[in-house]
Amino acid sequence: MFSFFKKKAPPPAVPPAPPGLAVAPSASPVPPPPESGPGPASPPGPGPGPASPPPPPPEPRSNWLGRLAQGLRKTGAGITQVFTGTRIDDALYEDLESALLLADTGMAATQYLLSDLKRRVKEARATDPAAVKALLADAITALLLPLQRPLVIGGVDGQVSPTVIMVTGVNGAGKTTSIGKLTRYLAEADQKVLLAAADTFRAAAREQLAVWADRNRVEIVSQEGGDPAAVTFDAVSAGRARGCDVVIADTAGRLPTQAHLMEELKKIQRTIAKAMPGAPHEVLLVVDGNTGQNALAQVKAFDAALGLTGLVVTKLDGTAKGGVLAAIARWGAEQGRVVPVYFIGIGEKLEDLQTFDAREFAQALLG
């Protein structure tokens, strides 16, 4: 859940920050970076557009949790069906194994959950399938808990300004839309955000990001047909010079099997580090929850290339493959390096992107 420390001291009265995002106290101003970069400087895009009506107040999280449960119904239906009988026997566990695999939990996570569940059933001396279902919710929660971490803005000691976030993902995963929603979260938390339109391959990407910038009243750096690395360099340089709290770089969608495009991502990452030592501070991958085990394959490939720091899992509404989060969690445990899930999404509305909570997810999954 979001837990905020306001940045400006002494702080004026500000609206309460949304839960799930950690903002460290601000550091001293950072001196502007040098003028030179890897490509010709691209002028900043237009600033915030005309004033628009204030957005409606956010809905209570309980409403969103109800829609999350509705969205995960296809995933959870087969699992919950296992517990409609009256006996706890080998047949129940076999049916549960099949249901978990069909939900794209993956073999490693499925075997782990079954082993953990049997241990819990034995320790609790459970005799009712309904009680076993509750214990399964506990087991899923425990497996997913390492994925539950807040996105930290400003660094743990408040010495990072701006926080540079590089966002990646395959085409169609909802990357640019997720950036727009994340920008709204940050803006509501009184953070000054600058967007970098570094997806110069897709025809409408720059325009789409510009719409989100206008909607959220933030600035954008873009360059038609420009080099993506040069655009990110310009954006990070501008963010430092203007005292921004966050710079978010959109990047072109690509498959992890496209080696030349993955090399382009590495180039962007290196260029960001030239513009600001230590950046990018976050490398986020946006994955489509409908893709199941393919989402795990994407996590592995992008992590190997870039060293991911977090995930945004989208389109969990109506999916039958939501068990992939368990697969991602188990893979991280086996690697000894967890890539947290900062946000999950269940729709197109701004409020449909929310912070990930392991217990909430497990309860929504099992109904």
Side-chain angles (χ1 to χ4, degrees), residues 97 101 104-113 293 327 330 334:
E97 179 180 21
L101 290 173
D104 264 36
T105 302
M107 183 58 72
T110 295
Q111 295 302 320
Y112 178 85
L113 284 172
Q293 287 296 301
R330 187 58 193 158
E334 291 173 344

Side-chain angles (χ1 to χ4, degrees), residues 2-29:
F2 281 119
S3 171
F4 274 88
F5 301 93
K6 303 315 292 177
K7 292 179 79 90
K8 299 176 179 62
V14 294
L21 195 65
V23 178
S26 63
S28 302

